[in-house]
């Protein structure tokens, strides 16, 4: 089999990790496309003088392994790196996806495999919208999350994998043209033995399994009755979830389950059996980290993987104000909650919890997405909800399966 050419798009934690791992594999070429500021130039210059290292930490043995290998090129010029790429992996916050879709479009080879890792809800809608006919000759994959908890230690030099998921679900929309490399096997080769990649039945399952819906309800519950005064201490985010936050989180998760069930009952082509409730997802994916699995609240409060994670805050004169400009709202509402609301509307499912959370989020963000329960607000074009792209029935959703 010919060498697998992997193009990693992005320049952050996930991009550093993926590019380093791909460079380390045999019979694989790793390239990077980063369009953000001077990242490509800085990364390139740093690699002239230094190693590029992925540090893989093992919490059980308290040891760490260094994988040293450099991508062949880090560029901001799509014409240089996109042609010949078999796997094009988007690993960046979702708000940056459209810039990269636009950039790669003129240079894509037929048979390329485009991957959102994570894709986040609406990835496929946006991909088809921007790539148009070109999308049909590409395989489109989308993973529910990033495979690791990863942090850059030194930009362009060292990234650390703090933890690796045991398994990861991803969807595949097949191309008209069969790609030269098997999509799922190729991704597995990039990642190594963990996480074990599993294919969902369709592209909609990861949307309803998304973790993007976790942050807005927690933000809502914590700040909806806030008196506007600065705080002395930064509150814990996940481990600070109380009964009220758990009620909203669980309510939104119930609405995702109801949407999945409604899709399946209305169209037998839509097997949604991989969509599980958020509480069960925590019990399963964080089995070793959670000490009390009684309910959603205890799963969050006693999850060691969340040790020390706090609400996004802005410090001023030793006091703290909530940061409503953080990705928990600005990324996860337009590319999460608004998309799942759009799916619920198509499925005919009532969503009182989602609506209440969404109304507060959009007011806080000074945006207008939902009006009278419909997605007709003036800022809807900034979201990835299906209605924005003209998908308004289940048949429309099934048309791109
Ligand atoms: P990151 O925060 O490291 O991404 C920053 C990078 O995004 C920048 O280096 C730049 O390349 C790009 N970027 C930022 N602003 C941009 C702009 N205005 N235009 C174009 N590009 C811009 O992201 P990270 O940590 O790699 O995460 C990627 C995705 O994975 C996110 O959706 C995140 O929520 C998710 N995720 C991350 C985890 C982690 O441990 N890092 C764990 C689970 C999910």
């Amino acid at each position: 089999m010919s060498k697998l050419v992997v193009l990693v798009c992005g320049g952050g934690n996930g991009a550093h990790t993926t590019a380093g791992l791909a460079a380390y594999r045999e019979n694989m070429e790793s390239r990077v496309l980063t369009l953000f500021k001077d990242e490509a130039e800085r990364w390139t210059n740093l690699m002239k003088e230094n190693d590029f290292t992925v540090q893989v930490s093992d919490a059980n043995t308290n040891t760490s392994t260094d994988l040293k290998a450099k991508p062949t090129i880090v560029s901001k010029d799509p014409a240089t790196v996109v042609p010949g790429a078999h796997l094009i992996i988007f690993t960046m916050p979702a708000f940056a996806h459209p810039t990269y879709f636009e950039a790669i479009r003129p240079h894509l080879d037929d048979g390329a495999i485009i991957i959102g890792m994570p894709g986040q809800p609406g990835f496929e809608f946006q991909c088809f919208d921007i790539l148009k006919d070109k999308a049909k000759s590409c395989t489109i994959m989308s993973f529910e999350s990033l495979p690791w908890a990863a942090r850059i230690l030194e930009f362009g030099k060292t990234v650390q994998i703090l933890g690796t998921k045991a398994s990861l679900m991803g969807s595949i929309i097949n191309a008209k043209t069969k790609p030269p490399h098997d999509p799922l096997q190729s991704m597995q080769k990039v990642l190594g033995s963990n996480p074990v990649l599993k294919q969902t039945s369709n592209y909609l399952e990861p949307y309803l399994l998304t973790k993007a819906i976790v942050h807005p309800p927690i933000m809502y519950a914590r700040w909806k009755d806030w008196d506007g005064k600065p705080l002395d201490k930064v509150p814990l985010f996940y481990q600070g979830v109380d009964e009220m936050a758990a009620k909203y989180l669980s309510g939104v998760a119930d609405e995702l389950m109801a949407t999945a069930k409604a899709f399946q009952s209305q169209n037998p082509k839509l097997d949604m059996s991989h969509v599980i409730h958020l509480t069960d997802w925590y019990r399963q994916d964080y089995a070793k980290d959670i000490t009390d699995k009684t309910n959603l609240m205890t799963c969050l409060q006693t999850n060691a993987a969340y040790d020390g994670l706090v609400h996004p805050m802005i410090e001023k004169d030793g006091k703290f104000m909530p940061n409503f400009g953080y990705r928990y709202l600005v990324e996860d509402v337009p590319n999460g909650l608004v998309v799942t609301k759009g799916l619920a509307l198509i499925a005919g499912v009532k969503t009182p919890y989602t609506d209440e959370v969404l109304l507060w989020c959009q007011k806080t963000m000074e945006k207008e997405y939902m009006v009278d329960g419909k997605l007709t607000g003036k800022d809807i074009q900034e979201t990835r909800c299906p209605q924005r792209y003209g998908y308004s029935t289940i048949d429309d959703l099934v048309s791109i399966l």
Side-chain angles (χ1 to χ4, degrees), residues 93-162:
F95 65 77
H97 287 168
T99 316
Y100 281 85
F101 279 129
E102 298 283 0
I104 65 169
R105 189 163 86 102
H107 312 287
L108 274 173
D109 290 346
D110 275 3
I113 302 167
I114 300 173
I115 300 138
M117 190 178 81
Q120 309 276 49
F123 182 77
E124 285 77 2
F125 301 145
Q126 190 169 58
C127 179
F128 279 94
D129 182 58
I130 298 178
L131 298 186
K132 308 239 163 12
D133 278 354
K134 283 222 165 185
K136 296 198 180 108
S137 63
C138 296
T139 302
I140 321 284
M141 294 175 81
S142 181
F143 288 95
E144 54 172 333
S145 186
L146 204 64
W148 331 272
R151 296 287 172 271
I152 291 174
L153 296 181
E154 277 187 280
F155 180 87
K157 284 194 206 171
T158 313
V159 63
Q160 184 184 27
I161 297 182
L162 301 153

Side-chain angles (χ1 to χ4, degrees), residues 148-207:
W148 331 272
R151 296 287 172 271
I152 291 174
L153 296 181
E154 277 187 280
F155 180 87
K157 284 194 206 171
T158 313
V159 63
Q160 184 184 27
I161 297 182
L162 301 153
T164 303
K165 294 189 171 64
S167 66
L168 193 69
M169 301 283 282
S171 62
I172 303 182
I173 296 182
N174 287 313
K176 274 200 229 144
T177 327
K178 195 170 179 290
H181 297 266
D182 178 82
L184 209 60
Q185 280 176 17
S186 303
M187 271 310 285
Q188 192 72 69
K189 267 190 212 155
V190 173
L191 303 181
S193 49
N194 276 316
V196 175
L197 299 180
K198 295 180 182 166
Q199 191 179 343
T200 59
S201 307
N202 54 65
Y203 76 98
L204 292 167
E205 282 189 316
Y207 289 16

Side-chain angles (χ1 to χ4, degrees), residues 14 24 59 75 97 121 153 230 241 268 289 303 316-317 326 353 378 398:
Y24 188 74
S75 173
H97 287 168
L153 296 181
V241 156
D289 301 302
N303 189 341
K316 201 175 168 219
D317 303 329
Y326 193 64
Y353 285 102
K378 68 175 172 53
V398 169

Side-chain angles (χ1 to χ4, degrees), residues 9-17 33-37 39 42-43 90-97 99-100 117-120 144-152 155 160 162-163 165 211 215 286 326-328 331-332:
C9 294
N13 305 301
H16 273 60
T17 311
L33 174 68
T34 171
L35 304 170
F36 189 55
K37 296 188 176 163
E39 281 186 344
R42 281 200 292 136
W43 189 339
F90 281 32
T91 173
M92 64 191 86
F95 65 77
H97 287 168
T99 316
Y100 281 85
M117 190 178 81
Q120 309 276 49
E144 54 172 333
S145 186
L146 204 64
W148 331 272
R151 296 287 172 271
I152 291 174
F155 180 87
Q160 184 184 27
L162 301 153
K165 294 189 171 64
K211 304 305 147 323
H215 302 133
Y286 288 92
Y326 193 64
R327 65 181 167 85
Y328 288 175
E331 181 177 0
D332 292 345

